[in-house]
Amino acid sequence: MKPVAVCENENCEKVIHKGDEVWHKGSEMYCSGKCLFQSFGHVKQTILREKHIVGGVR
């Protein structure tokens, strides 16, 4: 099968082929629900880190 993308999870990076089941978050494609859920955890940590920095400056 023809490769069409690579999983957006930087810890996975599995090749996604035409016909494979994928999970989407916007334009990003993930090879599994696990990889998709891990991407939400990264965003949450980034937001919390930013709030901590902003709160510490005040």
Side-chain angles (χ1 to χ4, degrees):
M1 296 216 167
K2 182 179 179 182
V4 293
V6 176
C7 180
E8 294 288 338
N9 183 340
E10 61 188 31
N11 296 324
C12 176
E13 298 183 347
K14 178 181 174 184
V15 175
I16 298 170
H17 296 92
K18 185 175 181 178
D20 286 351
E21 186 174 24
V22 296
W23 286 258
H24 292 270
K25 182 174 80 173
S27 62
E28 299 174 350
M29 287 196 297
Y30 296 88
C31 67
S32 68
K34 179 180 176 182
C35 286
L36 173 66
F37 292 132
Q38 287 177 349
S39 74
F40 285 108
H42 176 72
V43 170
K44 184 177 179 181
Q45 289 174 1
T46 302
I47 291 169
L48 290 175
R49 195 174 316 127
E50 289 174 1
K51 283 183 179 178
H52 183 264
I53 293 170
V54 172
V57 173
R58 289 183 181 183

